[in-house]
Amino acid sequence: MAARCTARPPPRPSGACWLTSALPARPKPGGKPTKGAHSLQGYRASSTDADTWCEFEEAVAVWQRQPEKFSGVGFVFAEADPYAGIDLDRCLDVDGNPKPWARPIVEKFSDTYMETSPSGNGLKICCRGQIPTNLPGGQVAVGSVELYSRSRYFPVTVPCFRGSPYHLHSHHAILLCLLAPLAPIVPIP
């Protein structure tokens, strides 16, 4: 799997990366493996414990040297970072095109880093911006939208989705607009 990393790695906020274990931490329903975060030493990492994180470049280097031990790299969104992530589950059709419910979101974030999720049927979007709280799963049509700006691990798949750029564009206002109808009880500053 190290070949996936021969392209330029996606942008990484400083300080919060891990390797993903090739052995699942625990199976999900239906036998699907989880993408458990591990430290460079192979111990379970925590999305809330910065002592278990490393720099992205360091994680990539270890992954490339030990592809039999780790299946990939990832990063965590930390409260101190000015970054957010959007996870669009089940948003791609069988041809890899965004489904109608996801198209407006994909269009609004087309100028920032976007990649196909490890499942192959979703998208992960990274941008600059903050939200007042994480939204772990707002149901939309036949998919879901998750929004995170703290304490969340994202595996990185590379390459980017349909030529999206390798930089993180600022989308604070659009994140808040996206969050509002999905979590109306969340206070928006």
Side-chain angles (χ1 to χ4, degrees), residues 14-35:
S14 62
C17 300
W18 309 295
L19 298 172
T20 304
S21 174
L23 301 173
R26 63 191 180 283
K28 288 183 178 181
K32 183 178 173 185
T34 60
K35 296 160 288 294

Side-chain angles (χ1 to χ4, degrees), residues 7-175:
R8 287 183 301 158
R12 173 59 211 125
S14 62
C17 300
W18 309 295
L19 298 172
T20 304
S21 174
L23 301 173
R26 63 191 180 283
K28 288 183 178 181
K32 183 178 173 185
T34 60
K35 296 160 288 294
H38 287 70
S39 69
L40 296 180
Q41 295 75 32
Y43 300 110
R44 290 284 296 157
S46 168
S47 63
T48 59
D49 182 1
D51 290 339
T52 63
W53 308 341
C54 68
E55 296 294 328
F56 184 82
E57 293 79 10
E58 186 179 7
V60 169
V62 170
W63 174 43
Q64 288 176 328
R65 284 192 312 269
Q66 301 176 347
E68 72 287 348
K69 184 175 179 182
F70 300 105
S71 60
V73 296
F75 61 90
V76 70
F77 294 99
E79 193 166 356
D81 292 334
Y83 305 101
I86 304 168
D87 192 353
L88 302 177
D89 291 329
R90 299 176 309 281
C91 73
L92 299 177
D93 63 23
V94 295
D95 296 320
N97 297 311
K99 293 179 179 177
W101 68 265
R103 278 187 211 129
I105 299 170
V106 171
E107 289 169 5
K108 292 222 183 275
F109 290 91
S110 64
D111 63 349
T112 196
Y113 183 78
M114 187 180 316
E115 65 178 30
T116 305
S117 62
S119 70
N121 62 17
L123 292 173
K124 290 187 179 291
I125 302 168
C126 298
C127 64
R128 292 179 177 272
Q130 287 286 313
I131 54 175
T133 189
N134 287 343
L135 177 70
Q139 293 300 307
V140 180
V142 294
S144 70
V145 177
E146 300 172 23
L147 300 170
Y148 301 102
S149 65
R150 60 188 55 83
S151 305
R152 182 62 177 194
Y153 169 74
F154 264 29
V156 176
T157 59
V158 180
C160 39
F161 179 73
R162 295 196 176 160
S164 74
Y166 277 99
H167 72 272
L168 304 182
H169 193 75
S170 181
H171 281 294
H172 180 74
I174 296 173
L175 283 168

